[in-house]
Amino acid sequence: MVLVGVVGAVLGLLAFGADAVGGMAGQVLVALTSSGFSWGLAAFLVGRFAAVRRQAIARAAVLLVVATLVYYALIVFVSRRWSGGYLEDGSPADMMGLLSVAKMTALWLFGSLVAGPVLGLLGHAVRSERTDAAALAAGVACGALSGEGWQSVAAVEPWRLLGLADAQEAEFVRGVVAGEVLRVALPVGVLLWLTLRHRLRGSWPVLLGAFVVSGGAGALCWYAIYRI
């Protein structure tokens, strides 16, 4: 559990560091370290390597909770991006900024306590269940990990964004597009790895169907989160 806490702290630190990197590299780093895919994959892998279900549930939840707390603690005490703004009447907006950080921390802590155990259980099921059940778990997990990517692609429409960017914006736009591609392609890569590693090719209808349904449901969930 201590090792899981350390990994969670590193995950939060990497996500915080990615926010400070600009340009195309920054967008790619955010996709790799500060996204639903990267944090969800970490919780899934923790569950996959757990010996029993109880460990999979507890460790995946702890991982995401620690990562969330470290990430927002760094925002509050290090970057202080919540401070320095002013309202229309000229008064400081620091309290409003802190309230916004508190709301987001509460939202993602709740998400960690819900999504963490689920992803941990799915990871454990991939390794311990029979072929069809393992294929179902792998498809659901990888579909969920791709949900943010599908939602973001639908919202950003990168094929249109590339055509609208001028010379000054080109690097940033390329970074955005690269990040969206990674959010969709990497879960597919994880699905292929699990299929080969656990010999799930015979259950490909279950695997593919679960991936599609879970990916659609995940995209709707991320749409709701962004609306909130």
Side-chain angles (χ1 to χ4, degrees), residues 158-192:
W159 54 89
R160 294 183 58 190
L161 196 62
L162 286 171
L164 295 175
D166 58 27
Q168 294 181 341
E169 300 172 337
E171 182 182 1
F172 175 78
V173 169
R174 285 197 297 269
V176 171
V177 174
E180 306 310 327
V181 171
L182 286 174
R183 285 185 175 94
V184 172
L186 289 177
V188 175
V190 173
L191 183 67
L192 293 174

Side-chain angles (χ1 to χ4, degrees), residues 9-66:
V10 171
L11 193 62
L13 182 62
L14 289 174
F16 176 78
D19 291 343
V21 180
M24 181 175 180
Q27 295 298 314
V28 172
L29 284 176
V30 166
L32 293 175
T33 65
S34 185
S35 64
F37 164 75
S38 57
W39 287 35
L41 178 62
F44 174 83
L45 292 177
V46 164
R48 182 178 176 272
F49 289 109
V52 296
R53 290 183 180 180
R54 183 177 298 178
Q55 289 180 350
I57 293 172
R59 292 177 181 179
V62 167
L63 176 82
L64 294 185
V65 166
V66 171

Side-chain angles (χ1 to χ4, degrees), residues 92-113:
D94 288 356
M95 288 304 299
M96 186 177 295
L98 276 176
L99 180 61
S100 177
V101 173
K103 288 180 179 179
M104 293 306 298
T105 304
L107 172 65
W108 290 117
L109 283 176
F110 175 77
S112 298
L113 293 174

Side-chain angles (χ1 to χ4, degrees), residues 130-132 134-136 138 191-208:
R130 294 182 179 179
T131 303
D132 284 345
L136 179 63
L191 183 67
L192 293 174
W193 169 66
L194 292 173
T195 301
L196 297 175
R197 177 66 179 80
H198 296 280
R199 301 177 181 178
L200 304 176
R201 285 171 289 185
S203 298
W204 69 265
V206 175
L207 198 73
L208 184 59

Side-chain angles (χ1 to χ4, degrees), residues 124-151:
H124 184 265
V126 169
R127 194 184 71 168
S128 62
E129 297 293 340
R130 294 182 179 179
T131 303
D132 284 345
L136 179 63
V140 170
C142 292
L145 295 178
S146 70
E148 184 184 17
W150 293 118
Q151 188 278 332

